[in-house]
Amino acid sequence: MKIQFDTLDYQTEAVTSAVRVFEGQTIKESNFTLTNDAPQGTLFASDGIGVGNHVIINKEQMLKNVKRTQILNGIVPSDNLFGSNDSFPQFNIEMETGTGKTFVYLKTILELNKRYGFMKFVIVVPSIAIKEGVLKTFRITKDYFKKQYNGVIYDLFMFDSSKLDRVRSFASANTINILVTTIQSFNKETNVMNRENDQLSGMRPIDLIAETRPILIIDEPQSVDNTDLAKEALTSLNPAASFRYSATHRDNTYPKIYQLSAVDAYDAQLVKQIEVAGIEIDEDGNRAHLKLIEVKTGKNGITAKIEVYKKTRKDADKKIMNFKAGDDMFTKTKLQVYDEVGFIQDIDATPGFESVTFSGQPEKITLESATLEDEVKKRAQIAKTIEEHLNKELQFKRNGQRIKVLSLFFLDKVENYRIYDEEGNPKPGRYARIFEEEYERLINLSKYKELNDVNIPVSEVHDGYFSTDKKGKLKNTKGNTQADESTYEMIMKNKEGLLTFYDEKKHHTTKANKIRFIFSHSALKEGWDNPNVFQIATLIETKDNITKRQKIGRGLRIAVDEEGQRVPGFAVNTLTIMANESYKDFAEGLQKEYEEAGVVFGVFDKHSFATIVVHYDEMTEELEILGKNKSEQLFNYFKTEGFINSAGRATNKLKFAINEEEIDVPEEFNNVVPEILNVARYKVKSLDIKDAEDKVEVKIVKEALADDFLELWNKIKYKTTYKINFDSDKLIELAIKGHGRIDGINSIQTRKGTYLYKKGMVEMGQAGIIADRSSIKNVRTATTEAYKLPDIITFLQNETNLTRKTIVKILRSVNNLESFKNNPLSYMNQAAKIINKFKNQLIVDGIEYKRIDDEYEQTLFSTEALNAYLGDRGNSVKVDENKHKTIYDYVVTDSNVEKEFARKAEMDENVKFYIKLPSWFKIRTPLGPYNPDWALLYEEDDEQHLYFIVETKGNTNSEELRPREKCKIIAGEKHFKAVDTDIKFKLVKDELEIHE
């Protein structure tokens, strides 16, 4: 199978944000002298030509571009272009783990070439694992990008110190070239990259790269340029600019131009939602729990660390305490149950025989006994992970979804998965043995009978991904050594196989097709993930050095089916973490990790309100924002009025105002109250981690599938086709002359660009002809050279998807083609933007839907598997099943606005029946599928039945909706008009607005 790639709005926005930085740039190669080796027997070598990026945009224009991009993305505009490193411009792009940042920056590279002709790019990564991940993404996206970019030729290669000829070809190639390297390859003077080399005529590889003025891509900059040496190394590449991609940027001195935070990604369901489960043995001090952790000898003699219960004000908590011989266990713990243990008689610190002896019962505890006790818990973790896995498989199978489920177990030692006998034959380690025992027990339960249609031995449904020694035996490594490369390569190559079901009737099936359970450790810490990891369990005994963020990052991606198509929505995409701690501790620990990495939850600062849009012109895309000064004024008011405390955190007063959707502000801010509340609502959000204990399976209320449901469903169930009445002549007229606040193509003005040349002394010697680098300097000069004019017709066809005939008509009617000759790329880009604005406007105005007999089957409701989470932070509303007002016993919602809507619909006597429309209920629009929120059967005056389709939004001001979102809603309304003229379409933020 091949993983399929979609055009996702947020990824397009991230790409556009980077490309916008260079607006005003013209396409032009920057050439330099590239000295070749002298062939044997000749006096001189001939000079080659190196090809570099030609960057002429000035700092003022670039800063203007950056500010506009930031405003469009809701980011406080930067005052300066440069960050802490002022030798070249660098830009932060924040993308949550699992949202496809590698895909985004590869697409950005191709878009920068298409727009501005840039051809040289360097990707710097922090580790071998991430390097392998980049190579894998390059391979699986190449066919997709070739189609997207008309077969453009581009190459990506890994820096290899033994193949320096590849560096020369990087510098000389007249095509897109991408070099990928770890920071460790060039952050020391002793690195091959930084040493003069005979293969390169005595030049250093890094000097050849620097001549090209590459665009730099930094993957995980917090781990790449986190030292002065690393920053110097990056500067030595002489980049034209740098784009820094991470989920958590530690250095925020660089302008941030795009932001997709963890909260943003969860809210938009761009990653899996997370639920946490755990096996807790918590007896609140009713049993004398004793677990020996460590015995050591020090200045104070021999001491032991023992995990015990200790009395607290309310009850008792587990705690690791230090003990010495003679300590009374009851006195130390303050708990009566330890009275029977007595006091410590002896502590043995002999290596391999560590133990603590008591005067009572138990007589002795050892490190081994603690391990045996822990194994009971580990067995329960393994069993519950397998059970969650099989439940997910059962759900998908019953729904007819071909989605292969994977589970991942983290270990700290290879021996726990694989051991070897005296002859070197492999045998299951203790966790592999436990897994096989529990899997055999569970898979043979009657509940999972229908999963046994393919006979795969238990030994083949799991595998371990670890490094190997020369004899092929698995071995422990740290995940960042040369030995690990084979591990990364193996799991990367198996990625598609792991996503594909085993079919014994097909000859092409492989070992990876059979695997559904993966055991590993350091190899999966970073740089690898798989979209179909749905369960992750931690079986680590010692200190866990894999962070919670690293764990969840391995399974956050949206699942794909066997055809490689993404399957969005939380109904499918839930990642279950089987933690070795409580739900509360895991959630708090994960949030702490985010905060330590620089993510701030719930804290207001003086610029928090700066990006509130005061006015937005959809046609010109011009924005007026509140700005920093007004934001600071509002921030101080919030402090004075007690909406936030001295630390900038929201108080209960502000939380109450958010819930009531009312807040008193100074009169000058009255026109942006909804926007102020939106900012406040976003700020008080934290990571929404679900507790697996709160999960319930949603069931259909059969009695509700009666008259009211059928009446409503029979109104809305029909599908439609659409056509677009598109007036090409009108488009041509608008594009040329403009309309309203949008200027036409005739208004485009450009000026000739200037070029940068390099000039230097050339010395002839026995080694050949060498450019003296010390004398090279930049010279700016005007040029009279005419541009070679590109094919503007083909360019505009590709950018606008209009026919060649229409493009020709437009170009024949414009009166400023001289501007095209002055600066072809600038002219073409502006023309495409103008045409697309008017085209989209005419498409929305001219769309016409027609009802067809095809319809959504109501039986789909009974096959849909839903889970609800209870509690205040849950995603559901419990309904009154006796009222029969909706078809499920819980209404599963996507936001607090929807939860409130469902609660009020339950209480509203005028609402006879309502449905939260499922994710499969989609309406086709020219801008992609649209899924409306609610369908309602409403009654007025005890007799009149009204049918509503309702879209719930926190802000219903159409001017504040994104243009794409607004167009989809308009198209949806036209669809329902075509389905039945009785159906009313409403955009509301509160259920009460239906009455209006």
Side-chain angles (χ1 to χ4, degrees), residues 124-131 181-184 218-224 480 526:
V124 183
V125 299
S127 68
I128 296 168
I130 292 178
K131 186 174 75 169
T181 179
T182 60
I183 186 65
Q184 293 83 6
I218 305 179
D219 195 326
E220 306 295 355
Q222 71 277 9
S223 301
V224 169
N480 57 359
E526 58 184 11

Side-chain angles (χ1 to χ4, degrees), residues 709-710 712-721 849 851-864 915 917-925 928-932 935 949 972 975-976 979 983:
F709 165 70
L710 292 174
L712 177 59
W713 185 246
N714 288 333
K715 281 285 183 182
I716 69 170
K717 66 183 180 181
Y718 294 98
K719 297 180 183 178
T720 56
T721 59
Y849 281 91
R851 186 175 119 173
I852 56 177
D853 292 335
D854 198 6
E855 59 190 56
Y856 290 99
E857 295 290 338
Q858 69 184 61
T859 53
L860 285 169
F861 284 103
S862 59
T863 61
E864 186 180 32
I915 312 169
L917 289 169
S919 58
W920 47 260
F921 191 95
K922 288 186 171 69
I923 296 160
R924 291 176 61 243
T925 82
Y930 166 60
N931 175 216
I949 296 296
H975 158 87
F976 285 109
V979 166
I983 298 174

Side-chain angles (χ1 to χ4, degrees), residues 247-507:
T248 47
H249 289 279
R250 289 188 183 276
D251 190 343
N252 290 302
T253 58
Y254 303 105
K256 183 189 290 186
I257 57 173
Y258 181 76
Q259 177 174 286
L260 180 69
S261 69
V263 174
D264 295 331
Y266 290 163
D267 281 352
Q269 299 190 24
L270 303 178
V271 292
K272 292 189 182 86
Q273 69 175 345
I274 302 169
E275 66 175 13
V276 179
I279 307 298
E280 295 182 60
I281 304 173
D282 192 355
E283 296 165 300
D284 297 325
N286 294 309
R287 180 177 70 90
H289 170 71
L290 295 162
K291 180 178 179 181
L292 182 59
I293 306 296
E294 180 186 33
V295 175
K296 64 179 181 179
T297 303
K299 293 180 180 178
N300 300 322
I302 300 174
T303 58
K305 286 182 182 289
I306 306 175
E307 184 180 76
V308 295
Y309 281 108
K310 190 174 188 301
K311 190 174 183 351
T312 63
R313 286 185 179 181
K314 294 182 179 179
D315 40 44
D317 283 338
K318 275 184 182 174
K319 189 174 182 182
I320 296 173
M321 299 177 64
N322 289 314
F323 294 87
K324 62 183 186 298
D327 281 345
D328 181 75
M329 300 303 293
F330 167 63
T331 304
K332 290 276 287 187
T333 62
K334 304 290 192 285
L335 288 172
Q336 190 68 43
V337 291
Y338 285 95
D339 196 27
E340 63 185 36
V341 180
F343 62 89
I344 295 176
Q345 287 187 324
D346 182 50
I347 301 176
D348 188 346
T350 306
F353 298 92
E354 295 92 343
S355 65
V356 177
T357 306
F358 300 101
S359 62
Q361 292 296 322
E363 182 180 340
K364 184 166 74 171
I365 59 172
T366 66
L367 290 175
E368 185 61 27
S369 65
T371 303
L372 291 172
E373 180 181 322
D374 192 52
E375 189 165 305
V376 176
K377 184 176 178 180
K378 292 292 193 294
R379 180 179 286 273
Q381 280 184 279
I382 292 170
K384 289 302 291 182
T385 303
I386 297 170
E387 190 177 335
E388 289 283 350
H389 178 111
L390 296 177
N391 287 341
K392 185 71 76 172
E393 284 190 356
L394 202 59
Q395 173 193 330
F396 292 159
K397 184 160 189 175
R398 289 175 176 174
N399 289 350
Q401 295 168 306
R402 293 283 290 174
I403 302 171
K404 188 179 174 189
V405 179
L406 299 175
S407 292
L408 173 60
F409 293 95
F410 279 107
L411 307 178
D412 54 352
K413 292 184 292 189
V414 168
E415 297 79 49
N416 282 329
Y417 180 72
R418 178 78 76 240
I419 57 175
Y420 298 88
D421 62 19
E422 292 179 358
E423 285 77 36
N425 299 313
K427 291 187 175 182
R430 63 189 185 120
Y431 291 152
R433 175 178 47 78
I434 291 172
F435 170 83
E436 291 187 358
E437 291 169 357
E438 293 300 321
Y439 181 84
E440 288 278 29
R441 178 180 67 84
L442 287 163
I443 196 65
N444 288 306
L445 295 177
S446 58
K447 178 181 179 181
Y448 303 118
K449 185 178 180 180
E450 58 191 282
L451 297 178
N452 275 321
D453 53 352
V454 178
N455 186 25
I456 303 175
V458 63
S459 61
E460 296 184 34
V461 300
H462 66 96
D463 200 6
Y465 287 86
F466 304 94
S467 298
T468 57
D469 61 18
K470 293 179 180 179
K471 295 181 180 180
K473 291 184 180 179
L474 304 183
K475 66 176 184 177
N476 290 307
T477 53
K478 294 181 179 179
N480 57 359
T481 65
Q482 199 70 24
D484 286 293
E485 288 212 37
S486 62
T487 314
Y488 305 131
E489 188 177 352
M490 173 176 63
I491 197 164
M492 292 300 180
K493 282 184 176 178
N494 283 346
K495 189 168 186 176
E496 288 87 352
L498 288 169
L499 293 168
T500 310
F501 288 94
Y502 172 71
D503 186 342
E504 54 192 350
K505 297 176 184 177
K506 294 181 180 178
H507 298 295

Side-chain angles (χ1 to χ4, degrees), residues 876-911:
S876 61
V877 174
K878 181 75 173 80
V879 305
D880 186 341
E881 294 178 38
N882 295 320
K883 290 183 179 178
H884 302 161
K885 291 181 70 170
T886 193
I887 61 175
Y888 296 119
D889 56 348
Y890 290 90
V891 179
V892 179
T893 62
D894 296 327
S895 65
N896 286 331
V897 172
E898 288 191 358
K899 278 175 72 174
E900 195 59 31
F901 185 93
R903 288 192 187 103
K904 290 182 178 178
E906 274 289 303
M907 295 184 290
D908 190 341
E909 293 183 4
N910 292 107
V911 175

